[in-house]
Amino acid sequence: MKLKRNIPLIDQHDKQGFWGGKFGGSFIPETLKKPVEDLTKEFKKLRKNKKFIKKRDYYFKNYIGSPTSFIKLDNLSNHLGGAQIWAKVVSEANGGAHKIYNATVHALICKAMGKKYIVGDTGAGYAGKMLSMAAKKFGLKCKIFMGAKDIRRQKPNCDAMRKNGAEIVPVLSGSQTLVDAVSECMRYWVSNCDNTHMCVGSTVGPNIFVKICGWSTAQISRELKSQLKNEFKKIPKKIKLINCVGGGSSAYGFWSEFIDYDKKQIELVGVEAGGPKKSKLHAAPLSRNAKIGILHGAASYVCQNNEGQIQETESISAGLDYPGVSPIHCFLKDSKRARYTYATDEDALNAYQMVTKFENLNPSLEPSHAFAEAIKIAPKLSKNTIIIVNSCGDAKKDRDILKERLGKRR
Amino acid sequence: MKPSLISKTFNKTQKENRPALLTYIVAGDNTKKKSLEILKSISKYADICELGFPHNTPIADGGQIQTSAYRAIKNGIKINDVFSIANQFKKTKSDKPIILMGYYNMIYQYNENKFIDKCNKSKIDGLIVVDLPYPENKPFALKCKKKGVNFIQLVSPTTSSDRLKQIIRDSHDMVYYISMLSTTGGKLKVAPKKILERYNKIKSLNKNKNIVIGFGITEKTIKSLKKADGLVVGSAICKEITSSIKKRQNAVTNVTNIVRKLKNKIK
Ligand SMILES: Cc1ncc(COP(=O)(O)O)c(C=O)c1O
């Protein structure tokens, strides 16, 4: 399996929508064929349209607040010894996470298609919060599907959604987490696709949703590339880009500009949710060798049993608690361009504590998984190695979990 | 090639000047034994029996069928049990067509070729795969045909006329028209007259194809659609199984009563 150069990864699929001949595709019910086709055509048109690009860039700058900063974590680096640790503080983006890029683009597409209703799924509540913000901004009516368990554990984001006027539809089926929210959102779209636009909250789902989301978050790496050049005059010789992977939208966005580089120069490291140390359950299909399966309209590595029933997952981080993963990450794994590993709940909590102790940074539980890997490898690496962690979410939403697991204070 | 059992069934119901009644239940709902009993009993009135192989992430099913599917999975149903239920059914009801229905991941994990072989060995007449649309399903449909298994294409109100023509052209003996934009179990939100208009348009593309209508069909609505070649009832039946279990009543008797009533409405 081989990557092409000079073509964005999101476009390296075949006619049927498969990356590497086997990941992705569009396994959708007949009813969604037409709306998916319409959306595909519209997106193809819009991404070539100068006026649309101008509009996107305008909102990225003036609404989202691009660029987010790129900072050196001196105290943490000194404490650990070894590599320099840097962070791209994507959590500075309006709303507090990278999900705002995808949400804003979807709202713009929804407007362009003349639809007044927009629906989306959410796990950590960031995708939902951002979609509710964008919907409010652009005058769209918004419904968010969210597992009942996640509604309980990510209350601050739910409060924000409601404040923005969105309706939260609690999903009570299955494990009551992200996987069920996505299913329910798709069902809703099947029934209402004539007047409603659907946003998928990550680089998952039928081919077109992977593309739109990746195209949106790619902004992160465009910023980073110029920030690297500003900081170091040219792209340094040894870089490691470490990112947590749930569906994979922030990781793809963080990496997309750097995929063509030699992996000896720029290593891409994806960190999945390993779940509680003592539990057999996890949400790490790539790093714990799940089999290929079909989930939510696409083929990818999926946590499942022999029969093809989707397996329950477990993670302290609602945003990573998903049995599947983006087909483009499966492609990056099998082509060996990226390396995938996992961090346990405990690793993430420890990393959170260490980062917040040494730095003026408050990463949510998702990027805390990425920090766990950085903390693990930094001491073994040379001073001229630049580790960059995408701090893609703010921990305000995790207030209750952190308090429960780490005690008061926070 | 000799006509399939599915074709023969439609020939018969057309001669009797009525639509075929197609019923859907989930295999293993709520036990293997029970679902076989239900199947045998309702086949007195049903012309074609659809048997769902349950999946726990069904993106096109509404609450009733989800409940049935989760119940069956919880009670331990495996894909080989589904085949064995179908096979045992066929031993006593060899002239009743049976159609398996489900999601592609189950087939993918079983292995496509093995799955189709097993269908053939278990005397399965047809197969509906909800999330394997046209034209992606063409190679799979062809494999089915070669093994004497009808691959049943779905069409919906959103299917464009170009696609419709191609799908009808490549379809086997039966095509399933989804009555409205909905998951299974939705309330019929389109006027039956409108549904039949679309149905006639599809039918006019090739009079020889048997077109059945499904989604939103209940005791209340079935009569208004009786001009179709066939009508599928699923959620209303699954709902009855759920309520029989809740009331600790005999699901076999209750479901059979419903199917008998449905049949009487379209005789
Ligand atoms: C802050 C944050 N990071 C990461 C994720 C995981 O999603 P993805 O892998 O698509 O970035 C989420 C999802 O909700 C999130 O909120």
Side-chain angles (χ1 to χ4, degrees):
Chain A
M1 210 171 272
K2 255 191 126 118
L3 300 173
K4 294 197 188 91
R5 313 196 81 194
N6 300 316
I7 301 174
L9 191 60
I10 54 166
D11 296 320
Q12 293 187 30
H13 57 79
D14 63 19
K15 270 213 185 95
Q16 300 217 1
F18 290 97
W19 283 273
K22 59 181 183 185
F23 301 117
S26 284
F27 296 85
I28 49 177
E30 173 61 25
T31 305
L32 291 183
K33 264 279 173 182
K34 176 79 169 34
V36 160
E37 221 171 82
D38 290 348
L39 180 60
T40 305
K41 278 189 200 143
E42 185 74 23
F43 179 62
K44 196 172 170 189
K45 203 176 76 192
L46 288 175
R47 65 191 283 202
K48 280 194 223 134
N49 179 328
K50 290 213 176 76
K51 256 166 81 186
F52 183 77
I53 300 292
K54 229 172 128 178
K55 205 191 264 177
R56 176 198 71 174
D57 291 343
Y58 173 84
Y59 287 110
F60 277 8
K61 179 156 183 276
N62 298 294
Y63 173 61
I64 294 179
S66 283
T68 57
S69 56
F70 172 53
I71 58 170
K72 185 164 184 205
L73 306 180
D74 275 315
N75 301 333
L76 187 64
S77 304
N78 290 341
H79 172 74
L80 291 168
Q84 304 174 34
I85 303 179
W86 294 66
K88 171 89 175 133
V89 193
V90 173
S91 60
E92 285 170 0
N94 193 7
H98 64 289
K99 301 277 177 192
I100 190 68
Y101 294 100
N102 186 44
T104 302
V105 168
H106 269 287
L108 289 172
I109 294 173
C110 180
K111 288 284 271 192
M113 293 181 87
K115 292 188 169 178
K116 292 198 179 67
Y117 302 91
I118 196 161
V119 295
D121 58 80
T122 198
Y126 270 135
K129 176 185 171 188
M130 309 309 184
L131 198 64
S132 74
M133 284 165 54
K136 190 175 170 198
K137 171 106 189 145
F138 297 105
L140 304 164
K141 264 197 86 75
C142 178
K143 252 191 223 298
I144 300 296
F145 293 83
M146 188 169 186
K149 177 176 173 189
D150 291 337
I151 292 179
R152 284 190 300 274
R153 62 177 166 168
Q154 306 278 239
K155 186 170 177 301
N157 279 347
C158 296
D159 295 342
M161 285 181 242
R162 292 195 187 96
K163 217 175 112 214
N164 291 327
E167 180 194 346
I168 302 176
V169 183
V171 180
L172 300 163
S173 53
S175 55
Q176 312 195 339
T177 57
L178 181 56
V179 66
D180 311 291
V182 178
S183 300
E184 198 59 24
C185 188
M186 286 192 162
R187 291 184 195 113
Y188 183 86
W189 200 41
V190 170
S191 302
N192 298 279
C193 54
D194 50 346
N195 63 9
T196 301
H197 176 73
M198 180 174 77
C199 166
V200 177
S202 184
T203 37
V204 297
N207 172 285
I208 185 59
F209 292 98
V210 176
K211 294 186 67 159
I212 295 176
C213 185
W215 187 77
S216 310
T217 54
Q219 171 69 14
I220 300 168
S221 64
R222 282 195 294 272
E223 291 174 13
L224 179 61
K225 199 171 187 181
S226 75
Q227 286 166 329
L228 277 170
K229 286 178 183 160
N230 277 341
E231 191 69 43
F232 299 98
K233 306 230 161 43
K234 58 176 195 189
I235 307 290
K237 283 267 159 25
K238 266 196 182 327
I239 298 184
K240 294 185 188 295
L241 298 179
I242 307 185
N243 207 119
C244 62
V245 176
S249 64
S250 69
Y252 176 74
F254 193 47
W255 296 346
S256 69
E257 285 288 321
F258 304 102
I259 293 170
D260 281 357
Y261 284 77
D262 191 306
K263 71 176 173 193
K264 285 194 199 109
Q265 182 180 5
I266 304 186
E267 194 192 12
L268 311 175
V269 185
V271 187
E272 299 185 298
K277 212 192 224 148
K278 289 216 178 89
S279 172
K280 278 207 184 84
L281 299 179
H282 58 81
L286 291 169
S287 55
R288 296 183 66 166
N289 297 317
K291 283 189 306 178
I292 299 178
I294 286 91
L295 173 65
H296 294 144
S300 79
Y301 291 111
V302 177
C303 303
Q304 59 184 326
N305 69 13
N306 288 339
E307 293 257 311
Q309 305 293 1
I310 305 305
Q311 206 110 55
E312 250 195 75
T313 54
E314 192 176 357
S315 168
I316 191 169
S317 145
L320 306 182
D321 200 356
Y322 184 70
V325 67
S326 179
I328 53 185
H329 285 291
C330 300
F331 189 29
L332 285 170
K333 177 185 165 169
D334 278 19
S335 63
K336 304 204 161 66
R337 177 62 188 94
R339 166 172 83 83
Y340 295 89
T341 180
Y342 62 88
T344 63
D345 287 2
E346 292 77 8
D347 296 337
L349 283 168
N350 290 338
Y352 174 80
Q353 282 180 295
M354 185 179 281
V355 172
T356 49
K357 179 176 165 200
F358 287 105
E359 301 291 341
N360 185 19
L361 196 66
N362 194 26
S364 69
L365 288 167
E366 291 80 13
S368 291
H369 283 70
F371 277 112
E373 177 68 12
I375 290 166
K376 189 169 129 196
I377 64 175
K380 298 178 244 171
L381 297 168
S382 64
K383 278 255 179 303
N384 61 355
T385 304
I386 315 287
I387 289 180
I388 311 172
V389 178
N390 181 359
S391 194
C392 58
D394 187 278
K396 267 191 221 102
K397 71 167 178 72
D398 295 324
R399 188 186 61 199
D400 299 343
I401 303 171
L402 292 167
K403 193 170 156 193
E404 188 193 318
R405 296 294 293 264
L406 303 175
K408 314 188 222 31
R409 196 166 65 81
R410 298 171 204 275
Chain B
M1 223 167 75
K2 62 178 202 253
S4 69
L5 195 52
I6 291 178
S7 279
K8 279 194 219 160
T9 304
F10 282 109
N11 285 342
K12 173 170 164 273
T13 57
Q14 271 146 20
K15 259 186 215 134
E16 292 171 7
N17 211 6
R18 64 176 180 88
L21 177 62
L22 291 85
T23 53
Y24 171 93
I25 63 166
V26 174
D29 183 21
N30 63 332
T31 63
K32 291 169 223 169
K33 190 161 155 266
K34 208 42 142 210
S35 64
L36 179 60
E37 278 175 40
I38 292 174
L39 208 52
K40 281 183 177 167
S41 174
I42 61 180
S43 69
K44 276 183 275 187
Y45 306 105
D47 298 294
I48 297 177
C49 294
E50 291 182 9
L51 186 63
F53 48 101
H55 183 44
N56 68 357
T57 317
I59 55 171
D61 281 305
Q64 305 299 346
I65 291 180
Q66 279 180 52
T67 303
S68 282
Y70 295 146
R71 195 160 49 215
I73 294 167
K74 201 168 156 222
N75 284 340
I77 190 87
K78 295 277 180 334
I79 198 82
N80 277 331
D81 301 325
V82 179
F83 285 121
S84 116
I85 291 169
N87 199 264
Q88 286 180 54
F89 172 75
K90 278 291 197 172
K91 277 187 185 144
T92 53
K93 307 268 182 177
S94 61
D95 60 340
K96 264 309 148 180
I98 192 152
I99 294 174
L100 291 195
M101 177 164 181
Y103 290 82
Y104 184 63
N105 196 38
M106 307 288 295
I107 298 172
Y108 185 77
Q109 299 311 327
Y110 200 87
N111 177 291
E112 273 194 4
N113 295 331
K114 249 178 80 189
F115 192 92
I116 298 169
D117 268 349
K118 191 82 184 184
C119 283
N120 170 286
K121 288 205 184 88
S122 316
K123 311 234 164 27
I124 306 286
D125 299 281
L127 194 53
I128 302 176
V129 189
V130 180
D131 55 350
L132 193 64
Y134 186 89
E136 287 87 343
N137 64 29
K138 275 163 81 171
F140 183 74
L142 201 65
K143 282 190 203 168
C144 287
K145 193 166 190 172
K146 282 194 182 140
K147 289 277 175 185
V149 178
N150 249 275
F151 185 84
I152 292 147
Q153 297 282 359
L154 296 150
V155 290
S156 95
T158 56
T159 309
S160 67
S161 24
D162 277 354
R163 265 174 66 74
L164 201 54
K165 275 183 207 140
Q166 294 166 11
I167 294 175
I168 297 289
R169 187 195 63 210
D170 289 346
S171 67
H172 302 166
D173 300 330
M174 173 180 148
V175 173
Y176 190 132
Y177 177 57
I178 298 167
S179 64
M180 56 180 171
L181 303 189
S182 175
T183 52
T184 53
K187 207 170 155 240
L188 201 63
K189 59 182 178 182
V190 181
K193 212 175 122 214
K194 269 253 148 49
I195 297 172
L196 287 171
E197 261 171 40
R198 276 288 294 192
Y199 166 86
N200 285 328
K201 215 181 118 195
I202 301 166
K203 190 75 188 167
S204 71
L205 294 173
N206 184 343
K207 289 262 184 297
N208 295 323
K209 299 283 179 180
N210 302 296
I211 319 282
V212 306
I213 304 178
F215 284 42
I217 300 181
T218 59
E219 272 184 71
K220 278 209 182 84
T221 55
I222 193 163
K223 201 168 174 175
S224 62
L225 294 166
K226 69 183 269 196
K227 289 220 173 67
D229 293 334
L231 296 167
V232 189
V233 184
S235 292
I237 293 173
C238 293
K239 190 173 164 187
E240 184 55 45
I241 298 177
T242 301
S243 100
S244 300
I245 293 170
K246 262 201 196 126
K247 292 191 228 151
R248 296 172 179 274
Q249 291 175 352
N250 185 336
V252 182
T253 320
N254 287 356
V255 171
T256 308
N257 276 337
I258 289 213
V259 177
R260 192 186 62 237
K261 281 191 221 157
L262 286 163
K263 182 67 171 283
N264 283 334
K265 296 235 153 99
I266 53 170
K267 254 188 183 159

